[in-house]
Coordinates of all heavy atoms in Angstrom, one line a residue:
S1 N -99.0 56.5 124.5 CA -100.0 57.5 124.5 C -100.3 57.9 123.0 O -99.6 57.4 122.1 CB -99.4 58.8 125.1 OG -99.1 58.6 126.5
P2 N -101.4 58.6 122.8 CA -101.8 58.9 121.4 C -100.6 59.6 120.7 O -99.9 60.5 121.2 CB -103.0 59.9 121.6 CG -103.6 59.5 122.9 CD -102.4 59.1 123.8
D3 N -100.4 59.2 119.4 CA -99.3 59.7 118.6 C -97.9 59.4 119.0 O -97.0 59.8 118.4 CB -99.5 61.2 118.4 CG -100.7 61.6 117.6 OD1 -101.0 60.9 116.7 OD2 -101.3 62.7 117.9
E4 N -97.8 58.6 120.1 CA -96.5 58.2 120.6 C -95.9 57.0 119.7 O -96.7 56.1 119.4 CB -96.5 57.8 122.0 CG -95.1 57.5 122.6 CD -95.2 57.2 124.1 OE1 -96.3 57.1 124.7 OE2 -94.1 57.0 124.7
T5 N -94.6 57.0 119.5 CA -94.0 56.0 118.7 C -92.8 55.4 119.6 O -92.2 56.2 120.3 CB -93.4 56.5 117.4 OG1 -94.5 57.0 116.6 CG2 -92.7 55.4 116.6
T6 N -92.6 54.1 119.5 CA -91.5 53.5 120.2 C -90.9 52.4 119.3 O -91.5 51.9 118.4 CB -91.8 53.0 121.6 OG1 -90.7 52.6 122.3 CG2 -92.7 51.7 121.4
S7 N -89.7 52.1 119.6 CA -89.0 51.0 118.9 C -88.8 49.8 119.8 O -88.4 49.9 121.0 CB -87.6 51.4 118.4 OG -86.9 50.4 117.7
L8 N -89.2 48.6 119.4 CA -89.1 47.4 120.2 C -88.0 46.5 119.6 O -87.9 46.4 118.4 CB -90.4 46.6 120.1 CG -91.7 47.3 120.6 CD1 -92.9 46.4 120.4 CD2 -91.6 47.8 122.0
S9 N -87.3 45.9 120.5 CA -86.2 45.1 120.1 C -86.4 43.6 120.6 O -86.8 43.4 121.7 CB -84.8 45.6 120.6 OG -84.6 46.9 120.1
F10 N -86.0 42.7 119.7 CA -86.0 41.3 120.1 C -84.7 40.6 119.7 O -84.1 41.1 118.7 CB -87.2 40.6 119.4 CG -88.5 41.1 119.6 CD1 -89.0 42.1 118.7 CD2 -89.3 40.8 120.7 CE1 -90.3 42.7 118.9 CE2 -90.6 41.3 120.9 CZ -91.1 42.2 120.0
K11 N -84.4 39.6 120.4 CA -83.2 38.8 120.0 C -83.5 37.3 120.0 O -84.1 36.8 120.9 CB -82.0 39.1 121.0 CG -80.7 38.4 120.6 CD -79.6 38.7 121.7 CE -79.2 40.2 121.6 NZ -78.1 40.5 122.5
L12 N -83.1 36.7 118.9 CA -83.3 35.3 118.7 C -81.9 34.6 118.6 O -81.1 35.1 117.8 CB -84.2 34.9 117.5 CG -85.6 35.4 117.5 CD1 -86.3 35.0 116.2 CD2 -86.4 34.8 118.6
T13 N -81.7 33.5 119.3 CA -80.5 32.7 119.1 C -80.8 31.7 118.0 O -81.9 31.4 117.6 CB -80.2 31.9 120.4 OG1 -81.2 31.0 120.7 CG2 -80.1 32.9 121.6
S14 N -79.7 31.0 117.6 CA -79.9 30.0 116.6 C -80.8 28.8 117.1 O -81.5 28.2 116.4 CB -78.5 29.4 116.1 OG -77.8 28.9 117.2
D15 N -80.7 28.6 118.4 CA -81.5 27.5 119.0 C -83.0 27.9 118.9 O -83.8 27.0 118.7 CB -81.1 27.3 120.5 CG -81.7 26.0 121.0 OD1 -81.4 24.9 120.5 OD2 -82.5 26.1 122.0
D16 N -83.3 29.2 119.0 CA -84.7 29.6 118.8 C -85.3 29.3 117.4 O -86.5 29.2 117.2 CB -84.9 31.1 119.1 CG -84.6 31.5 120.5 OD1 -85.1 30.7 121.4 OD2 -84.0 32.5 120.8
L17 N -84.4 29.2 116.5 CA -84.8 29.0 115.1 C -84.8 27.5 114.7 O -85.2 27.2 113.5 CB -83.9 29.8 114.1 CG -83.9 31.3 114.4 CD1 -83.0 32.0 113.4 CD2 -85.3 31.9 114.2
K18 N -84.4 26.6 115.5 CA -84.4 25.2 115.2 C -85.9 24.7 115.2 O -86.7 25.1 116.0 CB -83.6 24.4 116.2 CG -82.1 24.7 116.0 CD -81.3 23.9 117.0 CE -79.8 24.2 116.8 NZ -79.0 23.4 117.8
L19 N -86.1 23.6 114.5 CA -87.4 22.9 114.4 C -87.2 21.5 114.9 O -86.1 21.0 115.0 CB -87.9 22.9 113.0 CG -88.1 24.3 112.3 CD1 -88.5 24.0 110.8 CD2 -89.1 25.1 113.0
F20 N -88.3 20.9 115.2 CA -88.3 19.5 115.7 C -88.6 18.5 114.6 O -89.5 18.7 113.8 CB -89.3 19.3 116.8 CG -89.0 20.0 118.1 CD1 -89.3 21.3 118.4 CD2 -88.3 19.3 119.1 CE1 -89.0 21.9 119.6 CE2 -88.0 19.9 120.3 CZ -88.3 21.2 120.6
D21 N -87.7 17.5 114.5 CA -87.9 16.5 113.5 C -88.9 15.4 114.1 O -89.4 15.5 115.2 CB -86.6 15.9 113.0 CG -85.8 15.1 114.1 OD1 -86.4 14.8 115.2 OD2 -84.7 14.8 113.8
K22 N -89.1 14.3 113.3 CA -90.0 13.3 113.7 C -89.5 12.5 115.0 O -90.4 11.9 115.7 CB -90.2 12.3 112.6 CG -91.0 12.8 111.4 CD -91.3 11.8 110.4 CE -92.1 12.3 109.2 NZ -92.4 11.3 108.2
E23 N -88.2 12.5 115.2 CA -87.7 11.9 116.4 C -87.7 12.7 117.6 O -87.2 12.4 118.7 CB -86.3 11.4 116.1 CG -86.2 10.1 115.2 CD -86.6 10.4 113.8 OE1 -86.1 11.5 113.3 OE2 -87.4 9.7 113.2
G24 N -88.2 14.0 117.5 CA -88.2 14.9 118.6 C -86.9 15.6 118.9 O -86.7 16.2 119.9
K25 N -86.0 15.6 117.9 CA -84.8 16.3 118.0 C -84.9 17.7 117.4 O -85.5 17.9 116.4 CB -83.7 15.5 117.3 CG -83.5 14.1 117.8 CD -83.1 14.0 119.2 CE -82.8 12.5 119.7 NZ -82.5 12.4 121.1
K26 N -84.2 18.6 118.1 CA -84.2 20.0 117.5 C -83.1 20.1 116.5 O -81.9 19.7 116.8 CB -84.0 21.0 118.7 CG -85.1 21.2 119.6 CD -84.9 22.3 120.6 CE -85.1 23.7 120.0 NZ -85.1 24.7 121.1
I27 N -83.4 20.4 115.3 CA -82.4 20.5 114.3 C -82.4 21.8 113.5 O -83.4 22.5 113.5 CB -82.7 19.3 113.2 CG1 -84.0 19.6 112.5 CG2 -82.6 18.0 113.9 CD1 -84.1 18.7 111.3
W28 N -81.3 22.1 113.0 CA -81.1 23.3 112.2 C -81.6 23.0 110.8 O -80.9 22.3 110.0 CB -79.7 23.8 112.2 CG -79.3 25.0 111.5 CD1 -78.8 25.1 110.2 CD2 -79.5 26.4 111.9 NE1 -78.6 26.4 109.8 CE2 -79.1 27.2 110.8 CE3 -80.1 26.9 113.0 CZ2 -79.1 28.6 110.9 CZ3 -80.1 28.3 113.1 CH2 -79.6 29.1 112.1

């Protein structure tokens, strides 16, 4: 609503932060 404030929370695991290399493997 107008002037209303809320706090949002998120959770990321270490797996969520991994990237894919050229071989398609998820790596840290």
Side-chain angles (χ1 to χ4, degrees):
S1 299
D3 291 325
E4 185 180 3
T5 300
T6 192
S7 180
L8 303 178
S9 299
F10 303 93
K11 183 179 290 186
L12 296 178
T13 66
S14 59
D15 194 60
D16 291 321
L17 299 178
K18 290 180 179 179
L19 301 176
F20 287 88
D21 65 14
K22 289 183 178 181
E23 285 72 45
K25 304 294 184 184
K26 291 184 78 171
I27 64 168
W28 182 259

